[in-house]
Amino acid sequence: MNLAAKSEAKAPQRSHEAIRVEGLHKSFGAHEVLKGVSLSAREGDVVTLIGGSGSGKSTLLRCVNFLETPSSGRIVIGGEEVRCRPDGTPADRRQIERIRQSLGMVFQSFNLWTHKTVLENLIEVPVHVLGLPKDEAVARARKLLARVGLAEKESAYPAFLSGGQQQRAAIARALCMEPRAMLFDEPTSALDPELVGEVLAVIRSLADEGRTMLLVTHEMKFAREVSDHVVYLYNGLIEEEGPPERLFGDPQSARLKQFLKSVS
Amino acid sequence: MDSTLGLLALSPPGWGGTLLIGLWASIQIAVGAFGLGLLIGLGGAYGKIYGGPVLRDCLGVYTTVVRALPELILILLLYFGLTDMVNKLMLALGYGRIQISGVVAGVLVLGVVQGAYATEILRGAILAVPPGQIEAARAMGMPAGKIARRITIPTMLGLALPGLSNLWLIATKDTALLAIVGFNELTLATRQAAGTTKAFFTFFIAAGVIYLAISLLSTWGFARLEAWARRGDPPRVAGAR
Ligand SMILES: Nc1ncnc2c1ncn2[C@@H]1O[C@H](COP(=O)(O)OP(=O)(O)O)[C@@H](O)[C@H]1O
Ligand SMILES: [Mg+2]
């Protein structure tokens, strides 16, 4: 996945900025969900988005990899700006696909492919989209499964795994593309409380090895521990942001104080 | 008893060979029409889901009309209509009339009928695929064609196969309707044998047994296929429903 070589003209900037969002607006019909949001994550940063339900966290994350088309604003991934037509839709389908391959997304509902075994889930995109030889992909996948503690489950179908196991497999599936950054959308919200810990442990280990990630979570204690930067979203705008110690330890805005009280 | 076996013997004066030739023609047409129906159905289903308003309306007219009319009328209409149209076209282009082979005409006619039903079966199955399955593939940068082939279609197969199994059985039986346009499939061969020998009972029972055997065999085959397509389904909990 040689992103730099493939991207034309615009060389990656030297800032080592992995993800940059500028002035992002997004409306669904007349309903404006994002009202001008800017944020950036440098290589190795863990940027966490917190906020109430419906504040636009998922929409923001989904705009980054164009699962939703932004109404306006700029998205720059690894120094490469996504080219858009005047109406805001992406101009180059191939560019979008390439950028998505460089961003590993993990969903609240896991979304493992039900008709494929765990191993088949992991190697699907590396083999059939990225063109990696199958034996190499399998070796890579087995290493990742061992890492997330699922080595014995490679031949199981997702429906036969617990929620925590499915989410760990989904994380391994995203890692198997060797992405530049990870996007997590409430990865533990659908889990029974006793299964949350095992998934957070995997995410923590990724943070510890210096993975770039954009993380949406309601696990405030976890967010405080792993984040480099925390963004509090309220009603489609950034209400307050900063390092975790300050945001959680000394919140300024009344809304954030109220929010932190409600989730603790 | 001897005379019955004699009548069904494979070589003349027995009529068994004639029946088998008819059976072979029926199977060819059924397989061809079912295959063509699947292709039309897949295109039709995707067209109905993702197509523009004009395409959706056209497909709506096609599935509504074909499913409303009795198959016998459709077969007469399409058989004579299609062959006539092809020949008018050939003449207009300055070529001579052509003879359309019975198998090709049969596959085309029944395929168009099958396609209408397949469109509805596959459309329902595609819409029943959980959106997250497709979203995960999109999020990983899979191109749309690959998503259809590698994610959507395999996932909807388990949902579509019961309907498709029915459709296949209808295809095998509808081949008998082609007897009306003089196509030499199993039912027409049976009628000839029965008419010549006056042993109506023997031959129609024999044909019935053959149709039953086809049905049993394919039901078994489709059940195996469905079990395979549903290999990833959650385990059935005892007592649940
Ligand atoms: N596809 C969509 N169509 C219409 N409205 C949507 C869509 N997706 C999200 N929304 C609306 O956008 C708002 C923000 O949603 P979301 O980004 O999911 O919030 P969060 O993830 O912070 O809970 C909600 O009011 C939601 O109803
Ligand atoms: Mg959300």
Side-chain angles (χ1 to χ4, degrees):
Chain A
M1 272 200 312
N2 197 339
L3 270 183
K6 273 193 197 166
S7 75
E8 48 231 58
K10 240 184 199 131
Q13 288 153 17
R14 287 296 124 212
S15 60
H16 297 289
E17 207 168 38
I19 298 171
R20 175 173 196 79
V21 174
E22 267 178 35
L24 180 65
H25 290 254
K26 172 66 185 175
S27 302
F28 293 105
H31 179 29
E32 190 172 37
V33 173
L34 295 175
K35 303 167 180 170
V37 174
S38 301
L39 59 81
S40 86
R42 286 163 307 161
E43 303 275 356
D45 272 359
V46 176
V47 175
T48 299
L49 300 169
I50 59 173
S53 169
S55 57
K57 306 179 298 295
S58 296
T59 305
L60 171 53
L61 215 58
R62 293 162 58 83
C63 280
V64 169
N65 65 1
F66 282 77
L67 285 180
E68 303 289 355
T69 306
S71 304
S72 67
R74 296 173 67 210
I75 308 283
V76 186
I77 307 295
E80 182 182 357
E81 175 160 5
V82 178
R83 293 182 295 278
C84 289
R85 296 208 191 87
D87 66 355
T89 58
D92 181 359
R93 185 177 53 79
R94 307 282 290 274
Q95 185 194 26
I96 295 295
E97 284 166 7
R98 191 155 36 76
I99 280 176
R100 284 176 180 165
Q101 286 155 19
S102 74
L103 297 170
M105 185 152 194
V106 175
F107 300 88
Q108 186 176 335
S109 50
F110 330 133
N111 294 347
L112 290 170
W113 295 306
T114 53
H115 63 293
K116 294 180 190 294
T117 63
V118 168
L119 186 71
E120 287 166 351
N121 264 277
L122 264 69
I123 66 172
E124 174 64 25
V125 168
V127 171
H128 296 283
V129 181
L130 305 178
L132 198 69
K134 189 166 174 192
D135 50 347
E136 259 176 66
V138 168
R140 189 192 282 178
R142 290 212 166 110
K143 228 181 257 172
L144 287 166
L145 285 176
R147 172 170 178 183
V148 300
L150 289 174
E152 289 94 71
K153 295 292 184 185
E154 68 167 57
S155 309
Y157 287 96
F160 294 77
L161 303 182
S162 74
Q165 291 172 328
Q166 288 190 55
Q167 193 60 300
R168 283 183 280 142
I171 294 171
R173 175 176 69 173
L175 290 172
C176 208
M177 301 189 298
E178 301 198 326
R180 164 192 296 277
M182 296 284 286
L183 310 176
F184 289 91
D185 191 2
E186 297 195 32
T188 59
S189 293
L191 296 176
D192 292 335
E194 76 270 20
L195 302 178
V196 168
E198 62 192 57
V199 171
L200 292 184
V202 169
I203 299 173
R204 187 191 303 270
S205 81
L206 294 176
D208 289 347
E209 72 176 17
R211 289 257 170 200
T212 312
M213 45 180 129
L214 228 52
L215 168 68
V216 176
T217 187
H218 288 301
E219 299 288 334
M220 294 304 151
K221 187 168 156 287
F222 181 73
R224 184 170 189 162
E225 288 162 11
V226 301
S227 308
D228 296 292
H229 190 78
V230 181
V231 174
Y232 170 61
L233 217 56
Y234 178 85
N235 209 357
L237 282 170
I238 294 179
E239 173 87 7
E240 192 170 335
E241 62 180 315
E245 308 76 46
R246 202 179 77 216
L247 218 82
F248 292 113
D250 182 23
Q252 301 300 307
S253 80
R255 282 179 183 137
L256 176 56
K257 283 180 192 161
Q258 178 62 36
F259 174 73
L260 291 175
K261 219 180 275 167
S262 72
V263 292
S264 64
Chain B
M1 193 63 206
D2 274 358
S3 66
T4 304
L5 286 180
L7 284 172
L8 291 172
L10 288 183
S11 50
W15 287 79
T18 311
L19 291 197
L20 283 187
I21 291 172
L23 169 65
W24 174 233
S26 289
I27 290 178
Q28 275 180 295
I29 293 187
V31 169
F34 185 66
L36 178 60
L38 279 184
L39 286 182
I40 295 176
L42 208 54
Y46 268 101
K48 270 199 166 185
I49 296 171
Y50 297 108
V54 176
L55 178 62
R56 283 214 299 266
D57 284 350
C58 290
L59 288 167
V61 170
Y62 162 60
T63 54
T64 307
V65 168
V66 168
R67 292 189 306 157
L69 297 183
E71 251 120 273
L72 195 55
I73 292 182
L74 276 171
I75 284 166
L76 289 170
L77 201 69
L78 287 172
Y79 185 80
F80 293 113
L82 276 183
T83 47
D84 197 46
M85 243 167 53
V86 169
N87 274 319
K88 281 222 174 83
L89 195 70
M90 295 299 281
L91 287 177
L93 294 173
Y95 299 101
R97 292 184 149 274
I98 54 159
Q99 189 62 45
I100 300 174
S101 95
V103 173
V104 171
V107 165
L108 285 180
V109 169
L110 287 186
V112 168
V113 176
Q114 291 260 309
Y117 291 91
T119 296
E120 289 307 323
I121 293 171
L122 295 177
R123 188 181 72 97
I126 290 172
L127 288 176
V129 172
Q133 297 283 301
I134 294 161
E135 188 139 273
R138 285 213 301 143
M140 295 180 85
M142 233 194 237
K146 273 206 178 117
I147 295 179
R149 248 184 307 126
R150 301 201 49 88
I151 307 296
T152 315
I153 293 173
T155 308
M156 64 89 163
L157 204 56
L159 303 167
L161 274 171
L164 294 179
S165 167
N166 276 333
L167 198 55
W168 159 254
L169 288 182
I170 291 171
T172 61
K173 288 184 290 184
D174 275 2
T175 55
L177 295 175
L178 293 171
I180 195 120
V181 291
F183 182 65
N184 191 24
E185 46 57 69
L186 180 55
T187 296
L188 189 62
T190 307
R191 249 169 55 191
Q192 281 170 354
T196 311
T197 61
K198 305 294 176 207
F200 293 99
F201 203 63
T202 305
F203 283 111
F204 280 104
I205 292 278
V209 167
I210 293 175
Y211 281 118
L212 186 63
I214 293 177
S215 162
L216 290 176
L217 208 66
S218 28
T219 304
W220 175 81
F222 270 99
R224 298 274 317 255
L225 207 59
E226 193 187 335
W228 172 80
R230 289 182 175 280
R231 64 197 178 283
D233 278 13
R236 293 255 176 84
V237 181
R241 262 190 298 170

